[in-house]
């Protein structure tokens, strides 16, 4: 447990730097799935690494050593982790636990507010809620088997064909459960601060995913791009909640550029990069766990009294 226990933090930082590039060089469905998996593994490995570092100091507490029949002198002889590092890791775990609780609480409160709004609109035939509001709005919420909320202002901004693209986009969010990918990655980022840009990357990737589904549904990539452009222009500078799957609210110019181009293809270099990062994360976590298990076995050679 010398270098490998620190590697998840480094790998997380590398993934965070590569995430925007990966979302633009992989098909959006692949990028969303792979980034979610990589984010979870990096987050879990970082927490595990911090726990192992903190444990190296906890073992030296006489009461703990007595419970495990470990010899403190033997442990100190072989333990490569300085006491100060173990203490800092313990504090970091507490801070991360607070971050996670705050993240879960904020998401719960925001979800409850959106759910209250949706249910307050009354029945939703076909899962569609039409709001009589001149403000251009269109978003999907994954509650009550999924709902699409659209305002009269948004419908007036689009032609009938463009409305088809909009609805196809929002249905794609619900069908492929994009809110799950976002929730997973935001939770991983709360547990692993170096992943601070990953939530934005996964939100972009899932929007691109829905754009591609909409283009396939209407059978016209230019029509899908035009609908997205008009929706964004109608919305102007309005901000949207990160808890809503909101049409026309994120990196619109880049998304339009992709829709006006050919269908995205797998990029072997991007695919290899994320596979290597995932493999390195798993290997470092397994090695660190094996090392501390070996150290504990050696420390039990002479039971602590």
């Amino acid at each position: 447990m010398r270098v490998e226990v620190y590697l998840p933090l480094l790998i997380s930082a590398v993934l965070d730097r590569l995430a925007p590039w990966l979302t633009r060089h992989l098909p959006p469905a692949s990028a969303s799935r792979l980034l979610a998996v990589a984010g979870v593994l990096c987050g879990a490995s970082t927490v595990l690494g911090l726990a192992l570092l903190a444990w190296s100091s906890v073992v030296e507490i006489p009461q703990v050593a007595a419970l495990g029949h470990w010899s403190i002198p033997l442990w100190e002889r072989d333990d490569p982790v300085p006491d100060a590092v173990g203490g800092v890791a313990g504090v970091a775990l507490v801070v991360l636990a607070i971050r996670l609780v705050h993240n879960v609480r904020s998401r719960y409160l925001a979800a409850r507010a959106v759910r209250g709004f949706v249910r307050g609109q009354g029945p939703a035939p076909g899962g569609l809620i039409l709001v009589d509001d001149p403000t251009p709005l269109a978003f999907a919420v994954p509650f009550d088997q999924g709902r699409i909320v659209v305002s009269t202002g948004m419908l007036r901004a689009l032609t009938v064909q463009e409305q088809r693209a909009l609805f196809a986009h929002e249905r794609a969010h619900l069908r492929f459960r994009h809110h799950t990918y976002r929730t997973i990655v935001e939770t991983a980022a709360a547990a692993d601060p170096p992943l601070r840009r990953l939530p934005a990357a996964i939100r972009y990737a899932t929007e691109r995913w829905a754009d591609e589904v909409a283009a396939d549904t209407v059978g016209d990539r230019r029509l899908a791009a035009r609908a997205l452009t008009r929706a964004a222009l109608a919305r102007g500078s309005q901000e949207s909640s990160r808890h809503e799957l909101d049409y026309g609210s994120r990196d619109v110019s880049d998304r339009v550029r992709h829709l006006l181009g050919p269908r995205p293809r797998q990029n072997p270099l991007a695919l290899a990069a994320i596979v290597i990062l995932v493999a390195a994360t798993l290997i470092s976590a397994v090695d660190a766990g094996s090392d501390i298990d070996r150290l504990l076995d050696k420390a039990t050679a002479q039971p602590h009294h």
Side-chain angles (χ1 to χ4, degrees):
M1 195 173 69
R2 298 181 183 275
V3 176
E4 64 273 13
V5 73
Y6 304 101
L7 282 179
L9 285 169
L10 175 61
I11 295 170
S12 296
V14 173
L15 175 64
D16 188 68
R17 295 288 296 180
L18 286 179
W21 179 78
L22 291 170
T23 61
R24 287 163 174 79
H25 290 83
L26 285 171
S30 298
S32 299
R33 293 175 175 130
L34 290 172
L35 286 176
V37 171
V40 168
L41 290 176
C42 282
S45 296
T46 294
V47 171
L48 174 62
L50 290 173
L52 293 177
L53 289 170
W55 179 249
S56 69
S57 294
V58 172
V59 170
E60 297 178 11
I61 299 173
Q63 293 82 355
V64 175
L67 288 174
H69 302 294
W70 295 304
S71 167
I72 293 178
L74 284 177
W75 175 265
E76 291 178 337
R77 184 193 68 188
D78 296 320
D79 181 21
V81 180
D83 290 341
V85 173
V88 170
V91 173
L93 282 174
V94 173
V95 172
L96 292 182
I98 295 172
R99 281 170 54 94
L100 277 171
V101 170
H102 176 73
N103 177 269
V104 171
R105 181 176 182 274
S106 66
R107 292 193 65 83
Y108 169 76
L109 292 176
R112 187 173 67 176
V114 174
R115 179 180 292 158
F117 167 78
V118 169
R119 289 180 174 175
Q121 301 303 310
L128 176 64
I129 296 175
L130 180 62
V131 180
D132 187 11
D133 189 333
T135 304
L137 293 173
F139 57 89
V141 289
F143 309 125
D144 301 325
Q145 298 181 333
R147 295 286 185 269
I148 296 173
V149 180
V150 63
S151 68
T152 53
M154 178 62 82
L155 293 181
R156 282 195 289 267
L158 305 178
T159 66
V160 173
Q161 292 302 311
E162 291 165 353
Q163 290 173 18
R164 286 183 58 223
L166 179 149
F167 288 125
H169 176 103
E170 299 300 347
R171 290 193 188 99
H173 279 317
L174 298 175
R175 175 186 173 190
F176 295 104
R177 303 183 66 82
H178 291 164
H179 63 283
T180 302
Y181 293 92
R182 297 185 183 189
T183 299
I184 288 172
V185 169
E186 288 187 9
T187 302
D192 191 357
L195 296 177
R196 62 188 182 280
R197 283 179 290 194
L198 197 60
I202 202 73
R203 288 194 293 271
Y204 171 80
T206 50
E207 290 297 341
R208 282 277 301 115
W209 186 350
D211 289 341
E212 291 296 330
V213 173
D216 289 343
T217 301
V218 299
D220 187 340
R221 298 182 67 81
R222 297 188 66 84
L223 171 61
R226 188 167 64 248
L228 178 58
T229 302
R230 287 194 177 181
L233 290 173
R235 282 182 52 84
S237 60
Q238 297 174 50
E239 293 293 330
S240 64
S241 166
R242 66 191 177 97
H243 300 284
E244 297 166 4
L245 299 158
D246 199 342
Y247 188 66
S249 63
R250 185 167 299 278
D251 300 306
V252 171
S253 60
D254 195 68
R255 289 164 54 194
V256 168
R257 180 176 61 82
H258 279 285
L259 282 171
L260 292 176
R263 287 178 57 86
R265 295 181 179 180
Q266 295 287 4
N267 183 313
L269 180 60
L271 191 60
I274 197 165
V275 169
I276 289 171
L277 289 174
V278 168
T281 302
L282 287 173
I283 292 171
S284 64
V286 171
D287 281 352
S290 298
D291 280 353
I292 200 166
D293 187 58
R294 175 181 53 81
L295 290 171
L296 289 172
D297 285 343
K298 291 177 68 175
T300 55
Q302 294 179 9
H304 174 75
H305 297 289

